[in-house]
Every structure is written in structure tokens, then in C-alpha cells.
Amino acid sequence: MPLKKVICKGLVDRIGQKNSELQCKIEGHTYEKKMTLNTHEEGLKAITVFLLKPDTNIITRTEEISVVAHRVVHGGSQFGVPTIVNQKVLKTIEDLSSLAPLHNPANATGIKVASKIFKNATQIAVFDTAFHNTLPAQEYNYAIPKTLTEKHYLRAYGFHGTSHKYVSQKAITYLKKPKSKIISVHLGNGCSITAIKDGKSIAHSLGFGPSNGLIMGTRSGDIDQSVIFHLIKNLGFSAEKVNKMLQKESGLLGLTGFSDVRDILKASLNGNDDCSLALHMMTYRIKKYIGAYIAVLNGLDAIIFTAGIGENAKEVRAMVCEAMEVFGIEIDTAKNNTRSHEILEIQKDHCASKILVIPTNEELEIALQSYELMQKR
């Protein structure tokens, strides 16, 4: 497809808090507005009001928008490709909310509100799980009774697929190596790691829901299930309370009181032992997955660091790659301290494996997939 221009880019942050903020960038100019936005519906309406302002010159009428694309976290086994949303599709997305309770309800709300505001637009859902449809059976199956897995679709689905797909394709083009062995490390408030062979996901850290694997901002990642049973049976926790704790009160937040790595890095430098331990736990977990995925891939051409932490926290990248020389992984400190909006190589010159920092662009990937879908109609 021809290269398209990004007219406007932005987000609404801290929905449900008093200090909600609408941020928008138009041709290099940044606009910010503080407001109170209690729901995702209020947030999308605030964005629409901003887009319609005469001085922004983005759109003059909502009828100008012909397609609205939505990132939907969980597509279950039902959705493996971008899908035009109708009432049946929307209901299925809502029914899948039990698998992604932090995300799918908000995704469904976004679709409903966008349908009301942009009445002439086709609504398209692009699913985070879709990229991982290539996971082999030995990766996505759980070792529990087969009657349960088949009847209730209990399997690993995988997430952050839009991001992993985008950065891995960028890496393959950069390396000029379609036949490649890549590990993509997506580190944001949510974290995941994927082994990608020849452009296809073959192993992934998240599973049935987006909660296991790596240590995240508020999610625990991998945990011995015996701990959960102990909390319920012996400590009086309800299943709902345990779920809330593991999803919203654990991870870096549970370890330190902070969910933002920037705060944790700062506190660690100031002698906070809890923050130092949390950083070591987080990066140690990533390191273990990298070792496992090198075995699964039977080699390694490149590691990709992406998303907010992966792209910006040089300290985290350095800790992950420390003492990995046996795999041909060594960070060059000077290169690691460099900033770039493009692909950045940060390995030492003699290393067999590339270490790449690649800014993710899920919005662009969603737009490209939606464009391709509309072209097929």
C-alpha cells in the first residue's frame, strides 16, 4: 500500500482518576489538556470533541471517518484475523471478557461508543491474540484433562500480538533475513516475550489470559498455583480477591509500591532495597525466558526490546543481557545509552546475535491490517 501520513496521534491517560489527561500530537505540535474522565466512553467523546475543534483542522464532520479500527485484546479461538464488527462479533468480544477482564470490556465499550459517534464508519476489530495462532500444539496445550481443554477451549492464546508482529517484521526487513530466529521482548505495564521463527510465533509467555509469564506493572506473572490454593483454603481469601490481587496489586506494584519502572529505578539508585530486588526479579525472569526460547528456536539471530520500558529503560536492557555471553549476547554500554526513533543496534561489534531496540507502532500495524481488509471487500 502507499505510504500514508499520520495526521494526528494521541491518547487519553489515567481514565477514572481526577488527573485524566488528553494528549495529542499534530504535525510536531503537542496539545495537552487536564480533565476528569471517569469512563472510557467519556474519554472517546473527549477525543472526538478535540478532533472537531476548528483550530486543530483534523476533521470537520464525524461523517468524514470511514473506518474506525479497534485493538481488541482477546479473540479466543474465534478470531484469527482482523474482523468487521457486527452485533454477533461484538457479543462474542463481550463474552470473552472473562478471559481478559481488564481489557475486553473497555474494548467493547470503545466499539459501541465509536459506532454511535462515527455512524457512517466501518468498525474493525484487530485482535492481540491473532499473531499467536501459529503456536504449535505442544506450546498452546495445557497438561490437564483433555475433555476439559476441548470442551471449554482451555489453551494458551497469547497476547501483545500486534506489537510482536510489527517489530519482528521490522527486524526481518532490517536483517534482510526472512528465515530468522528472533526473540521479541515487549516490556510495558504489561510484559511478554515471544519466540519468532521465520516470522511466525512459536512460543510465547502469556497464556489463557494476559497474566502469567514475566513480572509486570501490577500482574504477578508466573506463580505456583499452590500459592493460590493456600490463600483460599488457609488464609481466607475469596477467589475474586485472589484474582484482583494477582491482576491489580502484584508485580512491581506489590513488590515496591510503584508500578512505573521510572520510579523504581530512581528509588533503587537512592538505596531502596525493595526496588533493587524488584528490578533483579523482573530482569532475571526475562533472562530465563530468553534462555528457554533460544533452545526452542535452536539458535538466535536477534533479540528485540520494545514498548515503553524496552525502548526507554537502558538499565533494564543491560540487566537482562548481563552474563549472557555464552549465547553470543553482549551489550555495548555506549550504544545502549544512545537514543533513536529508528532501529538501534546495541550489541558489541563481535557478537553473533543482534540486540535491537525497535519502537513498536501498534496503531500503524492496526491501520495497515484494517486497510488490507477493506481492500479485499
Side-chain angles (χ1 to χ4, degrees), residues 321-373:
C321 295
E322 186 179 4
M324 298 275 275
E325 297 88 351
V326 69
F327 296 120
I329 299 169
E330 289 185 76
I331 271 189
D332 183 298
T333 302
K335 293 177 184 177
N336 191 38
N337 291 341
T338 306
R339 297 291 296 249
S340 174
H341 297 295
E342 303 297 329
I343 296 176
L344 177 67
E345 287 192 35
I346 59 172
Q347 78 283 346
K348 290 184 177 179
D349 292 339
H350 67 268
C351 289
S353 303
K354 302 283 189 186
I355 307 173
L356 306 175
V357 181
I358 304 180
T360 192
N361 195 331
E362 294 176 83
E363 295 89 348
L364 177 59
E365 181 62 35
I366 289 168
L368 291 171
Q369 291 187 38
S370 299
Y371 178 87
E372 290 173 3
L373 176 61

Side-chain angles (χ1 to χ4, degrees), residues 2-279:
L3 182 64
K4 301 297 180 181
K5 180 181 179 182
V6 177
I7 299 171
C8 176
K9 183 176 182 179
L11 59 85
V12 173
D13 202 12
R14 302 177 189 273
I15 291 174
Q17 302 179 28
K18 291 182 179 179
N19 59 339
S20 305
E21 184 176 39
L22 188 155
Q23 302 173 12
C24 189
K25 187 175 288 186
I26 305 171
E27 295 183 346
H29 299 286
T30 300
Y31 300 82
E32 296 180 352
K33 184 178 180 181
K34 301 279 188 182
M35 59 186 80
T36 299
L37 298 169
N38 296 310
T39 65
H40 289 83
E41 180 172 357
E42 291 179 13
L44 186 51
K45 287 180 177 178
I47 291 170
T48 306
V49 169
F50 179 84
L51 294 176
L52 288 166
K53 287 176 62 177
D55 57 329
T56 60
N57 197 32
I58 303 300
I59 57 173
T60 57
R61 299 176 301 117
T62 56
E63 289 77 12
E64 294 177 33
I65 302 299
S66 58
V67 175
V68 178
H70 303 264
R71 174 197 178 215
V72 179
V73 165
H74 213 307
S77 57
Q78 293 90 328
F79 301 110
V81 294
T83 304
I84 293 174
V85 179
N86 54 30
Q87 286 303 311
K88 183 180 179 181
V89 170
L90 179 59
K91 184 180 185 305
T92 305
I93 290 170
E94 292 179 311
D95 291 343
L96 290 166
S97 291
S98 60
L99 305 184
L102 297 181
H103 301 91
N104 269 40
N107 300 153
T109 297
I111 293 169
K112 291 176 184 177
V113 176
S115 298
K116 292 177 183 177
I117 295 173
F118 304 103
K119 291 182 171 59
N120 294 344
T122 300
Q123 308 291 324
I124 294 177
V126 178
F127 297 91
D128 247 14
T129 48
F131 180 59
H132 303 296
N133 275 6
T134 54
L135 291 174
Q138 67 267 24
E139 174 69 19
Y140 69 70
N141 271 305
Y142 292 121
I144 58 177
K146 189 177 179 181
T147 51
L148 281 174
T149 60
E150 291 181 344
K151 182 178 180 179
H152 299 289
Y153 306 104
L154 303 179
R155 53 158 289 174
Y157 291 101
F159 301 90
H160 296 146
T162 309
S163 176
H164 288 298
K165 183 175 189 289
Y166 177 81
V167 297
S168 61
Q169 288 181 339
K170 293 281 283 187
I172 288 168
T173 301
Y174 177 78
L175 297 170
K176 299 178 181 177
K177 200 168 187 178
K179 296 289 185 180
S180 55
K181 299 172 181 179
I182 293 170
I183 296 175
S184 174
V185 188
H186 176 105
L187 302 178
N189 189 55
C191 300
S192 65
I193 181 168
T194 305
I196 301 165
K197 186 175 183 180
D198 305 337
K200 295 180 180 180
S201 171
I202 65 166
H204 179 68
S205 61
L206 294 171
F208 182 68
S211 303
N212 60 303
L214 306 181
I215 294 172
M216 307 177 223
T218 64
R219 284 170 267 178
S220 67
D222 288 339
I223 186 170
D224 181 352
Q225 63 265 37
S226 300
V227 174
I228 298 171
F229 299 133
H230 179 73
L231 289 168
I232 294 173
K233 184 177 180 180
N234 300 317
L235 300 183
F237 280 62
S238 66
E240 183 179 354
K241 187 175 180 181
V242 172
N243 183 56
K244 180 183 177 184
M245 180 192 73
L246 294 178
Q247 296 267 7
K248 298 183 178 181
E249 300 168 356
S250 298
L252 297 175
L253 179 65
L255 291 168
T256 68
F258 303 110
S259 62
D260 193 313
V261 163
R262 290 169 294 188
D263 296 326
I264 294 169
L265 284 167
K266 183 177 179 181
S268 176
L269 287 173
N270 290 329
N272 186 311
D273 291 338
D274 288 341
C275 288
S276 295
L277 176 60
L279 289 169

Side-chain angles (χ1 to χ4, degrees), residues 274-332:
D274 288 341
C275 288
S276 295
L277 176 60
L279 289 169
H280 280 94
M281 289 175 65
M282 176 191 184
T283 54
Y284 177 72
R285 181 79 58 84
I286 298 166
K287 188 191 297 277
K288 288 206 297 183
Y289 268 92
I290 289 173
Y293 286 176
I294 290 173
V296 168
L297 289 165
N298 191 26
L300 181 67
D301 293 309
I303 293 175
I304 302 168
F305 286 99
T306 193
I309 298 169
E311 294 168 29
N312 298 298
K314 60 184 180 181
E315 299 90 345
V316 171
R317 297 194 298 258
M319 291 176 73
V320 169
C321 295
E322 186 179 4
M324 298 275 275
E325 297 88 351
V326 69
F327 296 120
I329 299 169
E330 289 185 76
I331 271 189
D332 183 298

